[in-house]
Amino acid sequence: MLKFILGVLFGAGLAVGYVKYNVELPAFLQLTDKLRGSLVTSATETELYDLNADIATRRRALEIMFANRPDHAVKVDAEYGHPFLEALYRKKATRQARVLRSQWTAFDVALGKPPLRKRLAERHRTTDTLKLKQRMLVAALNNNYPFLKSWLASKGEAIGEADLMATLKRVGVLPVGALPRSGR
């Protein structure tokens, strides 16, 4: 049991060290993994670059390339201005915008309870329902969604009281092709 716990702690330490401090295993310990990764990726390149192959086959080949040659995938992403990284950020921002936007209707339930409404009105210094909900939405963004707030600011999106809901509606739209098809 002690070996298991120490192994988990060592693995977690390596993961944190790798991501945060760029620490890696010594080169001689990575040689077999790099060789295996190159061989596996080379074997799947035919499917990856066959534009006539079905999308499922090409996606699987891409998964294999990401799994076995992540350094190559990161290099390609960097060479083209980080589209993969931007897509990951956009996906997370879209999801968080949808979740935050859904709180708007939950505010109606909270404001329907007089004691709670009174406390919220005191906290947000307004009794106007629309302004109160807008301030509650901004507070939720500030307190619970630091990534979304930072991402919206980096994109120059309006996050003021009067603008936040419209911004969330626009950002929370799923891109074309993101909805699952039946049978998947």
Side-chain angles (χ1 to χ4, degrees):
M1 183 67 164
L2 180 63
K3 286 182 183 179
F4 173 75
I5 292 172
L6 289 175
V8 168
L9 290 174
F10 183 71
L14 278 176
V16 168
Y18 181 73
V19 171
K20 196 164 186 167
Y21 304 108
N22 202 23
V23 173
E24 293 184 2
L25 291 173
F28 71 91
L29 291 176
Q30 296 180 24
L31 186 58
T32 55
D33 285 338
K34 286 185 179 184
L35 180 61
R36 181 190 54 81
S38 292
L39 289 172
V40 169
T41 302
S42 295
T44 60
E45 277 187 344
T46 305
E47 286 83 16
L48 180 63
Y49 295 113
D50 181 1
L51 300 179
N52 295 320
D54 64 289
I55 191 66
T57 301
R58 289 185 285 154
R59 285 182 63 182
R60 179 65 187 134
L62 184 62
E63 287 175 18
I64 291 169
M65 198 244 337
F66 277 170
N68 291 290
R69 293 192 51 212
D71 55 332
H72 178 67
V74 169
K75 183 179 173 187
V76 170
D77 185 55
E79 287 174 359
Y80 286 91
H82 300 290
F84 183 72
L85 194 57
E86 286 299 319
L88 283 174
Y89 292 162
R90 172 67 189 207
K91 183 173 180 165
K92 182 175 178 110
T94 299
R95 184 180 53 78
Q96 287 188 351
R98 292 171 62 111
V99 170
L100 180 57
R101 191 177 81 210
S102 71
Q103 292 181 17
W104 186 263
T105 54
F107 295 158
D108 290 327
V109 174
L111 295 175
K113 300 177 190 262
L116 187 54
R117 181 185 181 95
K118 182 180 176 190
R119 290 179 68 194
L120 290 168
E122 289 170 0
R123 179 184 300 157
H124 296 287
R125 289 175 270 165
T126 186
T127 56
D128 179 65
T129 301
L130 178 61
K131 265 207 171 313
L132 186 54
K133 287 173 68 173
Q134 289 172 338
R135 289 180 182 175
M136 291 168 63
L137 194 65
V138 170
L141 173 69
N142 291 333
N143 296 331
N144 303 322
Y145 298 94
F147 171 81
L148 179 59
K149 182 179 179 182
S150 177
W151 187 85
L152 290 171
S154 74
K155 299 297 179 192
E157 294 285 350
I159 57 173
E161 288 177 17
D163 305 314
L164 183 56
M165 189 60 172
T167 297
L168 295 175
K169 284 180 181 178
R170 188 175 53 261
V171 170
V173 175
L174 292 172
V176 175
L179 296 175
R181 295 183 189 140
S182 59
R184 273 194 178 179

